[in-house]
Each structure stands twice: as C-alpha cells, then as structure tokens.
Amino acid sequence: MAISTALVLAVATGAVVVLRGGLLPSAESCRSNAVRLSVAASPDIAPALRTVADHARKAGIRSDGRCLDVKVSSRPAKAIVAAGEAGAG
C-alpha cells in the first residue's frame, strides 16, 4: 500500500507543478473537445487534487490544444490499490 500512496502523491505533485507552473499553454475558450480524466485519490489528497483540477478548468489550461476536464473522486487507499492490482494482470 505504501507504493500506491507514493505513486498517488507523485502524480499529485506533478500535476501541481505542471498546472501551477504554467507549463501547459492556456487559451481563452475551453468549451469543446476536452480531454476528460477521472482520477481516484485517497481522501487525504483528493481535496488538493480537486483544487488543481478546478484551477485548470477555470484558467482554460490545455494539453495538446485540448482543454482539461478532470473529475476527482475520493476513495479509500485499499480500493485504489485493489483496482490497480486487478488492472495490472
């Protein structure tokens, strides 16, 4: 479980660096053809990820010219690990 927690924290940190650092180009309009991502995070970091996702949406941050639409759901770490293990095989 420690590995999955470390992985989630690394992804969250990377997202914060990319989105807050302005490493992705932004644009004025961000209504169509969005990149939709569903992210499951442990309850302790889900609020921080939601803040970053909201910032990306409001700022019109894009990836490959497409807007980001990130939905963050809070799930127990055990459930995230189980889902990862099921998909790894």
Side-chain angles (χ1 to χ4, degrees):
M1 181 155 19
I3 292 173
S4 64
T5 301
L7 177 62
V8 170
L9 288 174
V11 169
T13 302
V16 169
V17 169
V18 168
L19 295 176
R20 294 219 172 163
L23 297 176
L24 297 176
S26 61
E28 294 177 10
S29 178
C30 211
R31 300 280 180 218
S32 65
N33 201 21
V35 175
R36 294 184 191 342
L37 302 172
S38 295
V39 178
S42 61
D44 55 332
I45 65 167
L49 290 178
R50 282 189 193 105
T51 298
V52 173
D54 288 344
H55 170 74
R57 190 176 309 109
K58 289 176 186 173
I61 293 175
R62 295 175 174 252
S63 175
D64 288 333
R66 295 173 64 192
C67 298
L68 301 176
D69 182 14
V70 182
K71 306 289 185 206
V72 179
S73 62
S74 179
R75 295 195 183 155
K78 273 184 156 178
I80 295 170
V81 171
E85 289 174 347

